[in-house]
């Protein structure tokens, strides 16, 4: 054979076998950095231990909370996830596997997950992209694949992944490593990116996780900032103001997360109602943060108001927007399926405020959702979703009083006679 041809054939063979080898290896080592699709198509609903219990978590309490989720009617209203936040951890063993604190979780995490699943609920857990969690427990840095495997063995359905002690890490890459680990472990998991909005997770988180915190931690106060020295936590109104400009990033499977609910943790009924309503308008995850075992009827009524929940869970998944502000009353709109709209008047002040609105002369245009609320061309039925009463149509001008630090919230439906 011609020497040159032989050389060419050999080179081709070598290239082919290299490519085949690389391909085979590629199959083994290729990483999938994209989240599980088809999860959290509406904002996740559930409960998390942090706001009320902080580090004081144990298996008995979590079981009781799961029981209460069912007996209180919250499960029937749509709440699904029972999520343990920080401080469930014990140590890593000599092989690096993480174990729960044996004193607080003597039956082990698998038994607890099984219990939660037996109630028809889903189970969530918490870790951190850094060396330690914010509460000083072992973080997942360097153990991502091992931890994801452990969570899959336990039957975990939801992972809140925090951002403390992450020296030298960049958020997008760190979260993608955990996404790849969850993929490798093979169990579909909702990934909650808890990076506090520092590195704009709404810009890169869409393919990586299902929700991303947009702010620092919430504080159980309607309108204040809590200064902890080196960091601050934020009242309900302060968190709300920090959602400005983020609306276009939300949608089915990808939600802005203004942090977990403080309903039932000590604010007034009016403030709790306003907080819950605004989280519904924001298409925010509804993760209760109170003690479900001891709820007042008022707290249950707020958390299980199905008409408010329906606005949050509307399948279009369009986040609401602030349309106008007058005399400390903000008017928010949220387009819903079947041509419906949610309208929420939020009175931020400490005195009752009058609202007048002539639907006939005001047209609301939502360029992002390409929707228009033109009551002159198309009259709407008005349903007050807190009093749960029908309240006429948009043919008549609206005259109402919004109580201090409270809301009046309507669902508008077209084709009014
Ligand atoms: C951070 C998070 C909180 C909570 C704590 C736990 O502050 O933002 O939501 O998870 O850590 O230590």
């Amino acid at each position: 054979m011609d020497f040159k041809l032989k050389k060419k054939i050999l080179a081709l063979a070598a290239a082919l076998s290299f490519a085949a080898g690389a391909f085979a290896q590629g199959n083994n080592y290729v990483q999938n950095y994209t989240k599980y699709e088809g999860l959290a198509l509406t904002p996740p609903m559930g409960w998390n231990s942090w706001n009320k219990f902080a580090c004081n978590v144990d298996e008995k309490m979590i079981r009781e909370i799961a029981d209460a989720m069912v007996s209180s009617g919250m499960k029937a209203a749509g709440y699904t996830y029972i999520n343990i936040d920080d401080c469930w951890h014990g140590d890593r063993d000599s092989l690096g596997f993480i174990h729960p604190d044996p004193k607080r979780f003597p039956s082990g995490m698998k038994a607890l997950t099984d219990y939660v699943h037996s109630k028809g609920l889903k189970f969530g857990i918490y870790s951190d992209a850094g060396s330690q969690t914010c509460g000083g427990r072992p973080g997942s840095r360097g153990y991502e694949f091992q931890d994801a495997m452990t969570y899959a063995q336990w039957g975990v359905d939801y992972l809140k992944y925090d951002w403390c002690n992450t020296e030298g890490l960049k958020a997008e890459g760190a979260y993608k490593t955990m996404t790849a680990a969850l993929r490798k472990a093979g169990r579909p998991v909702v990934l909650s990116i808890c990076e506090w909005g520092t590195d704009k997770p709404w810009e890169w988180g869409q393919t990586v996780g299902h929700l991303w915190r947009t702010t620092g931690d919430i504080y159980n106060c309607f309108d204040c900032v809590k200064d902890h020295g080196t960091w601050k936590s934020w009242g309900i109104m302060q968190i709300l103001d920090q959602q400005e400009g983020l609306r276009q990033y939300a949608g089915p499977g990808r939600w802005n997360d203004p942090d977990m609910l403080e309903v039932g943790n000590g604010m007034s009924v009016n403030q709790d109602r306003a907080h819950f309503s605004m989280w519904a308008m924001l298409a925010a995850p509804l993760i209760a943060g109170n003690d479900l075992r001891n709820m007042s009827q008022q707290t249950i009524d707020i958390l299980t108001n199905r008409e408010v929940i329906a606005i949050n869970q509307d399948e279009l998944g369009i986040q609401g927007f602030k349309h106008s502000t007058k005399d400390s009353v903000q008017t928010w709109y949220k387009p819903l399926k079947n041509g419906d709209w949610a309208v929420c008047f939020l009175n931020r002040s400490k005195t009752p405020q009058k609202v007048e609105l002539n639907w006939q002369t005001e047209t609301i245009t939502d360029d992002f959702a390409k929707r228009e609320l033109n009551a002159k061309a198309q009259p709407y039925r008005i349903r007050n979703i807190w009093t749960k009463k029908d309240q006429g149509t948009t043919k008549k001008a609206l005259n109402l009083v919004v109580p201090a630090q409270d809301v009046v919230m309507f669902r508008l439906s077209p084709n009014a006679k």
Side-chain angles (χ1 to χ4, degrees), residues 176-194:
K176 278 187 168 165
T177 301
M178 185 43 96
T179 299
L182 294 169
R183 277 289 192 163
K184 200 74 170 178
R187 183 179 172 87
V189 169
V190 169
L191 180 62
S192 155
I193 298 173
C194 180

Side-chain angles (χ1 to χ4, degrees), residues 384-405:
N384 184 323
I385 60 176
W386 280 112
T387 63
K388 300 186 183 168
K389 289 195 175 114
D390 294 334
Q391 204 166 310
T393 74
T394 51
K395 286 179 187 162
K396 203 172 151 219
L398 197 65
N399 258 304
L400 51 86
V401 175
V402 189
Q405 299 187 321

Side-chain angles (χ1 to χ4, degrees), residues 171-385:
E172 181 176 356
Y175 280 92
K176 278 187 168 165
T177 301
M178 185 43 96
T179 299
L182 294 169
R183 277 289 192 163
K184 200 74 170 178
R187 183 179 172 87
V189 169
V190 169
L191 180 62
S192 155
I193 298 173
C194 180
E195 182 266 357
W196 319 312
T198 315
D199 209 21
K200 300 189 176 161
W202 42 88
E203 287 182 352
W204 50 263
Q206 312 234 338
T207 59
V208 183
H210 303 87
L211 58 156
W212 46 82
R213 280 276 295 279
T214 52
T215 68
D217 289 5
I218 198 166
Y219 186 66
N220 186 28
C221 152
F222 192 71
D223 193 0
C224 76
V225 178
K226 171 81 177 165
D227 197 337
H228 302 268
T230 51
W231 61 290
K232 291 183 176 129
S233 49
W234 309 93
I236 310 305
M237 291 300 103
Q238 284 66 27
I239 296 238
L240 181 65
D241 290 341
Q242 292 175 63
Q243 307 312 308
E244 195 90 40
L246 300 183
R247 174 177 192 234
Q248 69 269 25
Y249 298 101
R254 49 193 166 88
W255 307 104
N256 290 312
D257 175 8
D259 207 358
M260 304 170 295
L261 296 167
E262 291 283 12
V263 174
N265 277 343
M267 287 189 292
S268 74
V269 177
N270 307 59
Q271 293 169 336
D272 272 355
R273 183 167 40 232
H275 170 28
F276 193 68
S277 302
M278 291 319 301
W279 264 230
M281 293 299 285
L282 290 171
L286 297 181
I287 309 289
N290 58 316
D291 188 347
L292 305 188
R293 300 168 303 179
N294 297 301
M295 289 191 277
S296 69
Q297 192 56 46
Q298 286 170 324
T299 296
I300 295 179
D301 290 346
I302 291 173
L303 288 173
T304 62
N305 183 323
R306 286 167 193 248
E307 297 189 43
V308 180
I309 291 172
I311 282 167
N312 172 267
Q313 293 287 302
D314 186 85
E315 66 200 35
L316 295 184
I318 301 172
Q319 183 170 326
F321 62 96
K322 184 174 68 191
H323 173 259
S324 52
T325 307
K326 189 168 174 268
D327 301 333
S328 67
V329 177
Q330 297 182 342
T331 306
W332 288 70
Y333 289 87
K334 182 180 193 288
L336 306 172
K337 68 177 178 184
N338 300 330
D340 284 12
W341 288 82
V343 187
C344 189
F345 303 96
L346 167 68
N347 177 6
R348 299 174 63 132
S349 77
K350 290 186 177 160
T351 51
Q353 299 290 333
K354 277 189 189 158
V355 170
E356 290 174 14
L357 175 58
N358 184 353
W359 303 102
Q360 299 299 308
T361 53
E362 180 128 34
T363 299
I364 311 302
T365 309
D366 179 356
D367 291 335
F368 166 69
K370 303 195 172 47
R371 287 271 299 266
E372 193 178 77
L373 199 175
N374 180 346
K376 198 169 182 190
Q378 157 70 74
Y380 291 79
R381 275 179 289 122
I382 303 177
R383 169 87 173 161
N384 184 323
I385 60 176

Side-chain angles (χ1 to χ4, degrees), residues 50 85-86 126 134-135 160 162 194 196 213 217 260:
W50 185 254
D85 207 276
D86 205 347
Y126 161 100
C134 300
K160 174 175 168 184
D162 214 341
C194 180
W196 319 312
R213 280 276 295 279
D217 289 5
M260 304 170 295

